[in-house]
Amino acid sequence: MFDPHILSVSDLSVARGGLPVLAGVGFDLVPGQALILRGPNGSGKTTLLRTIAGLQLPLQGAISGADDRIAYAAHADGLKSMLSVTENLLFWAEIFGYPQIDPALDAYALRPLATRLAGTLSAGQKRRLGLARLMITGRPVWVLDEPTVSLDSSAVAMFADAVRAHLARGGSALIATHIDLGLDADVFDVSAFRAQTNARLGASDEAFL
């Protein structure tokens, strides 16, 4: 079981490429809850997730309950191509001090690929391995940006099952996705928080899509 802390976002404003994209964003993410981010392409979902994950600074507002509790997964799978599937998971298990990788191998049907080098996997297989890393972080808050890219329908179901199991253990998940994962989840549309200003900011904000 995870700790019962709540991830709280209040009056948050974020920028992309020096321009404000979202303003006044606020929500609470409680243990056992999945929150699905919606909004058209370019509306600021990725920027919001990167800010919550601590990869860029907000323009204003507060994020509490994040600290070292977040496991973030974006478009890159974060794999070492010359390590096997098992070696990749063992690498991350050592980083996070997680006791075993068997549940991750089983959740994403990776045992038949256990000795394959990550660099030889298909795009969907790499994605499954990248998502399996979440399970060995031991972190309660999963922040995920389009996690089902490259996955077929059976792998999407594996991912949804992994999220359900994570929630059942008291974890939480913040997911930007355009597909229906079949989760019992709340929806948060970022379109309602689109920034109204076109004023350009300083160069300290990176240009990230």
Side-chain angles (χ1 to χ4, degrees):
M1 298 295 291
F2 297 112
D3 64 78
H5 288 88
I6 296 172
L7 175 68
S8 183
V9 173
S10 59
D11 196 28
L12 193 69
S13 295
V14 301
R16 178 181 63 236
L19 295 174
V21 289
L22 297 175
V25 177
F27 59 83
D28 290 332
L29 185 65
V30 303
Q33 179 189 16
L35 186 63
I36 304 297
L37 293 187
R38 298 284 196 211
N41 292 336
S43 59
K45 299 185 299 296
T46 291
T47 304
L48 177 60
L49 293 180
R50 284 175 53 84
T51 304
I52 291 171
L55 299 178
Q56 66 181 70
L57 295 174
L59 300 180
Q60 67 178 40
I63 304 167
S64 62
D67 304 319
D68 59 354
R69 300 173 64 250
I70 287 180
Y72 175 70
H75 300 231
D77 295 314
L79 307 178
K80 295 185 177 296
S81 62
M82 297 308 295
L83 294 183
S84 70
V85 167
T86 296
E87 289 168 340
N88 265 279
L89 291 177
L90 287 173
F91 171 82
W92 288 105
E94 184 174 351
I95 293 291
F96 290 100
Y98 199 75
Q100 59 177 322
I101 65 170
D102 287 346
L105 286 170
D106 292 335
Y108 287 95
L110 293 170
R111 285 195 183 276
L113 306 172
T115 61
R116 288 268 301 274
L117 294 181
T120 68
L121 300 177
S122 71
Q125 290 167 340
K126 288 177 181 177
R127 194 60 166 172
R128 281 156 51 197
L129 178 55
L131 291 172
R133 293 186 303 123
L134 295 168
M135 298 181 63
I136 59 177
T137 64
R139 295 193 167 185
V141 183
W142 290 359
V143 175
L144 312 176
D145 191 4
E146 297 294 347
T148 60
V149 170
S150 300
L151 296 183
D152 59 22
S153 58
S154 63
V156 170
M158 294 177 197
F159 168 70
D161 286 342
V163 173
R164 290 188 190 96
H166 179 68
L167 301 178
R169 293 192 300 269
S172 56
L174 179 63
I175 308 171
T177 181
H178 292 286
I179 71 170
D180 183 5
L181 296 171
L183 298 173
D184 182 11
D186 299 306
V187 175
F188 187 87
D189 192 336
V190 303
S191 302
F193 300 92
R194 185 171 181 176
Q196 298 302 309
T197 178
N198 289 320
R200 192 166 184 85
L201 305 174
S204 59
D205 176 68
E206 86 281 9
F208 188 87
L209 293 178

